[in-house]
Amino acid sequence: SVNANCSSVWSVGETFTLDDIGVPVQTSPDDGDILCIDPPVLSWNSMGAGITYNVEITDSVDTGYAAVVDSGTAVALSSWTPAGVIGSGTYIWRVQAANGSCVGDWSGDFTLTIDTIGATTPLTPTGTICTDFPSFSWSAVAGVVSYTFEISTDIAFGVAGRVALQTGIVGTNYTMALSLANGTYYYRVMSVNANCSSVWSAGEMFTLDDIGVPVQTSPDDGEILCIDPHGLSWNSMGAGI
């Protein structure tokens, strides 16, 4: 203490421990990323053993985090995922570290945009068809730019069974330029917008049983006949026809 003339002796010393745990560094997704999955996985650098992390995500206009969309605590982990889908839109998120003694400052805001697109549903063909140039159709999806179509002889759509893969289809109908052989086929469709692709639709099955066209054999084309009536003949196409 100091007055106009004198200073006192020093007080008894006091101790304290500084345990500043710092601020996590967000690592993924990058600031400003557009994501095609919902909910997103949010990640940051690990700050060592015994650290827990508080995470908040909110609408991009809620800069004060007054009405967070979701929040949680990650114990000894360096990533966190919201409990459920949060919907398409633009969001900000932040993370804060804590240990047994201190709670650190919040990180800065990272922005992300979720731009998911729904899957379509195959409509036709189904069952047994008789044309080797089938026309395919599926349900429309809002916000779509194009569709990707795949047809296979393999129910699991393995590469070895692929018959055709067509991208950039505008509209909900597609007719193959390729003639199909008789057999059972599986097809599926993916929706695509400006940023993202949906999951594949469920596969649809159909069986092609094209019996072909008979070949006329008698009388010859253009022949002049001297009997009336005259029998007309063509090639046999097998039993049951």
Side-chain angles (χ1 to χ4, degrees), residues 55-59 62 64-72 92 94 106:
V55 192
E56 293 181 337
I57 185 168
T58 193
D59 191 275
D62 181 24
Y65 290 81
V68 296
V69 172
D70 202 354
S71 63
I92 53 176
R94 62 185 183 177
W106 286 104

Side-chain angles (χ1 to χ4, degrees), residues 113-199:
T113 298
I114 294 177
D115 186 22
T116 56
I117 184 170
T120 183
T121 301
L123 299 177
T124 59
T126 61
T128 300
I129 65 172
C130 300
T131 175
D132 57 353
F133 288 95
S135 179
F136 300 87
S137 67
W138 49 86
S139 62
V141 175
V144 76
V145 172
S146 65
Y147 297 93
T148 298
F149 169 86
E150 183 179 19
I151 182 169
S152 178
T153 57
D154 178 10
I155 192 172
F157 292 92
V159 174
R162 180 182 292 163
V163 176
L165 178 68
Q166 180 64 51
T167 62
I169 301 170
V170 178
T172 56
N173 294 276
Y174 175 65
T175 300
M176 295 179 59
L178 172 69
S179 174
L180 296 177
N182 283 348
T184 297
Y185 295 89
Y186 307 88
Y187 68 98
R188 61 183 182 176
V189 185
M190 178 187 294
S191 312
V192 181
N193 68 13
N195 299 303
C196 301
S197 299
S198 73
V199 297

Side-chain angles (χ1 to χ4, degrees), residues 56-109:
E56 293 181 337
I57 185 168
T58 193
D59 191 275
S60 60
V61 299
D62 181 24
T63 55
Y65 290 81
V68 296
V69 172
D70 202 354
S71 63
T73 299
V75 179
L77 298 173
S78 56
S79 65
W80 174 81
T81 303
V85 296
I86 59 177
S88 295
T90 300
Y91 299 90
I92 53 176
W93 69 281
R94 62 185 183 177
V95 59
Q96 175 190 64
N99 59 20
S101 304
C102 299
V103 176
D105 292 332
W106 286 104
S107 67
D109 297 335

